[in-house]
Every structure is written in structure tokens, then in C-alpha cells.
């Protein structure tokens, strides 16, 4: 006697929708040290509401800026120090380090070691961040890039 079992298919979206907000945020921030473009595509909603660093306020500008940042820093590394979740919100304390070897924000390579740190909050619904806030030491980061910190 043969028993036919119904086939079960799952899409990446349905699997990610079952991830907790903390798991989604952890996977997104891990993508900064891997395929960042894919991380944005998978974990950041196309309808994202963005607040942070007094701009960018559009998803596409955030993606372009972070990809440019990653490309301009040799030894680029994002480290997550803490992630705290409550309900649909996840708070992440992070830092990015590297050596400024490419142009970023119109600032030519300086060879300086740079450090950007911040705290971000993501509101996660159905496996994607739908709202993102970020605060950090961006002014100090820009000063270091330009050599104004000497």
C-alpha cells in the first residue's frame, strides 16, 4: 500500500515571516559582513519608514549610502554589541570600523582608520523591518574622514 503525502513547499518569504523580530534584525545586521544588498532586499521592507542621522529618509538612499560606505573602507567590519527585543521592536547597538581607502560622500580616500557607532531601532512585521530609527556619531565620523579631528 502506497500512501501519498501532500507536498509542502515554503518560500523564503514565508520562512522569514516566521522568524522573530530579534532573528530578523540579527540576520539583517549580519548581512553587513556578507551580502549587504541581499540583506536589504530580504529584511528591509520596500515600504520602509526611515528616520535617522537627519537623512537619508528614503530606503534607496540608505541602501546606496551603506553600500558606498562598505566599498570605501578596507577591512570593513560591522560588530553588534547588543540586541534587545520587545514586541515588534529590536534595538541594536553596533559599530563599523575600517580604513578609509575609497571615496565616500565625496570625500576622497584618506588612509585614516575610521569608526562609526550607533544605536538603531527596527520595527519588524512579517519578517521585515517596516520602520527604522538610527542615531550615532556620524558627525565625528565625518570629521575623521576629512581630517578635522586632528
Amino acid at each position: 500500500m502506497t500512501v501519498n503525502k501532500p507536498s509542502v513547499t515554503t518560500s523564503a518569504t514565508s520562512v522569514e515571516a516566521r522568524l522573530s523580530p530579534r532573528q530578523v534584525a540579527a540576520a539583517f545586521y549580519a548581512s553587513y559582513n556578507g551580502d549587504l544588498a541581499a540583506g536589504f532586499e530580504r529584511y528591509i521592507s520596500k515600504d520602509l519608514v526611515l528616520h535617522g542621522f537627519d537623512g537619508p529618509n528614503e530606503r534607496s538612499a540608505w541602501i546606496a549610502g551603506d553600500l558606498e560606505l562598505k566599498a570605501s573602507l578596507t577591512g570593513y567590519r560591522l560588530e553588534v554589541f547588543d540586541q534587545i527585543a520587545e514586541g515588534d521592536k529590536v534595538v541594536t547597538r553596533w559599530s563599523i570600523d575600517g580604513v578609509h581607502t575609497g571615496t565616500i560622500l565625496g570625500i576622497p580616500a584618506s588612509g585614516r582608520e575610521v569608526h562609526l557607532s550607533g544605536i538603531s531601532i527596527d520595527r519588524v512585521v512579517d519578517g521585515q523591518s517596516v520602520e527604522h530609527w538610527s542615531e550615532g556619531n556620524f558627525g565625528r565620523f565625518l570629521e575623521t574622514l576629512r581630517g578635522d579631528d586632528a
Side-chain angles (χ1 to χ4, degrees):
M1 173 180 197
T2 303
V3 176
N4 292 327
K5 295 182 181 178
S7 65
V8 177
T9 60
T10 58
S11 69
T13 304
S14 68
V15 170
E16 280 136 12
R18 290 190 305 245
L19 296 177
S20 72
R22 163 79 176 62
Q23 290 169 317
V24 169
F28 171 64
Y29 288 95
S31 77
Y32 272 80
N33 294 319
D35 187 347
L36 182 54
F40 272 103
E41 184 64 27
R42 184 172 296 126
Y43 299 113
I44 304 299
S45 171
K46 290 185 178 28
D47 298 319
L48 176 76
V49 176
L50 182 59
H51 321 268
F53 289 129
D54 292 325
N57 291 315
E58 293 182 9
R59 180 183 185 270
S60 61
W62 179 25
I63 294 169
D66 280 9
L67 290 173
E68 180 184 41
L69 174 66
K70 186 173 183 176
S72 72
L73 300 179
T74 298
Y76 172 97
R77 175 169 153 65
L78 180 133
E79 184 172 355
V80 171
F81 299 107
D82 296 298
Q83 280 191 319
I84 301 164
E86 183 173 327
D88 63 357
K89 290 186 180 151
V90 182
V91 178
T92 304
R93 187 171 65 93
W94 53 265
S95 73
I96 294 172
D97 295 290
V99 177
H100 181 212
T101 56
T103 299
I104 182 164
L105 301 171
I107 303 168
S110 66
R112 293 182 190 91
E113 290 186 25
V114 294
H115 176 79
L116 175 62
S117 62
I119 297 173
S120 298
I121 302 170
D122 291 279
R123 187 168 67 86
V124 177
V125 175
D126 293 332
Q128 291 193 317
S129 177
V130 297
E131 196 162 10
H132 178 86
W133 296 260
S134 211
E135 295 291 336
N137 71 334
F138 197 69
R140 177 82 174 127
F141 174 73
L142 289 174
E143 288 174 356
T144 303
L145 288 175
R146 292 184 186 121
D148 298 342
D149 63 333

